[in-house]
Amino acid sequence: MEDFTILTRMTTKQYVKVLLVGLYKKPIFIIATLFGIYYLIGLASGWFTSAGYSNEIYLEYLIGFFLLFAPLLIALISLKQFNSNPSFRKDIKYTFGENGMTVEGVTFKGEFAWAHIIKHKEISHFLILYHTKKMGNFINKTKLTSEQLNFIKSKVGTK
């Protein structure tokens, strides 16, 4: 396939949405959220309270809310990192070819061989190409044709 280029700009709202959807899809966060809901309902209805136990009830509620909102806390921390670099909120140019992809922003340029992109994941309108276990590039799928999207997926391999 011939090389092709797209321009993508990710807003803060899109970034948070992708993070939250991605986090709340993970089994550990689903289990923690369900346990947090169960725990808070149990506390509110008095299932877990006994005589002399009321002094620590605030800590118990804190634990329940933490379990319920842990993905939100992670997203807020990631959002702080996203907002710390204004280049991430400007146009980023992705060029895809047979040998790999090139990423260009206002203050950076990177080249990645397909062998160095270890997996891909689709969340909402974005294709995330991971080049390390926890870092990747967000590609707006709406700017790609189905042929281009299939080309990228075939070069990266499976999740």
Side-chain angles (χ1 to χ4, degrees), residues 17-46:
K17 181 181 176 187
V18 169
L19 278 176
L20 287 175
V21 168
L23 287 172
Y24 276 112
K25 279 186 174 181
K26 293 185 177 188
I28 190 72
F29 288 113
I30 293 170
I31 292 167
T33 300
L34 291 174
F35 186 72
I37 291 169
Y38 167 76
Y39 200 67
L40 289 171
I41 290 171
L43 286 170
S45 63

Side-chain angles (χ1 to χ4, degrees), residues 32-33 37-38 86 111 125 138-139 153:
T33 300
I37 291 169
Y38 167 76
E111 295 183 17
H125 296 294
F138 292 79
I139 315 295
K153 287 181 184 180

Side-chain angles (χ1 to χ4, degrees), residues 1 4 144-154:
M1 176 174 237
F4 58 94
L144 295 170
T145 65
S146 60
E147 205 174 73
Q148 292 169 335
L149 186 60
N150 290 333
F151 170 77
I152 294 170
K153 287 181 184 180
S154 71

Side-chain angles (χ1 to χ4, degrees), residues 14 17-18 122-127 139-143:
Q14 289 172 322
K17 181 181 176 187
V18 169
E122 292 183 63
I123 299 175
S124 188
H125 296 294
F126 288 91
L127 174 69
I139 315 295
N140 191 338
K141 291 189 315 184
T142 61
K143 300 202 175 184

Side-chain angles (χ1 to χ4, degrees), residues 32-112:
T33 300
L34 291 174
F35 186 72
I37 291 169
Y38 167 76
Y39 200 67
L40 289 171
I41 290 171
L43 286 170
S45 63
W47 296 340
F48 305 132
T49 58
S50 63
Y53 189 65
S54 62
N55 291 342
E56 298 169 6
I57 198 74
Y58 298 112
L59 178 63
E60 303 296 325
Y61 275 109
L62 184 65
I63 291 169
F65 281 116
F66 177 76
L67 288 172
L68 186 61
F69 294 115
L72 185 60
L73 293 173
I74 293 169
L76 290 174
I77 292 167
S78 297
L79 180 62
K80 183 178 178 186
Q81 288 179 321
F82 179 77
N83 286 332
S84 70
N85 189 345
S87 297
F88 292 148
R89 292 185 309 275
K90 295 187 175 155
D91 284 339
I92 298 176
K93 182 170 86 170
Y94 294 94
T95 304
F96 300 94
E98 286 295 327
N99 298 324
M101 74 174 194
T102 305
V103 182
E104 291 181 61
V106 175
T107 59
F108 61 89
K109 180 179 180 177
E111 295 183 17
F112 300 94

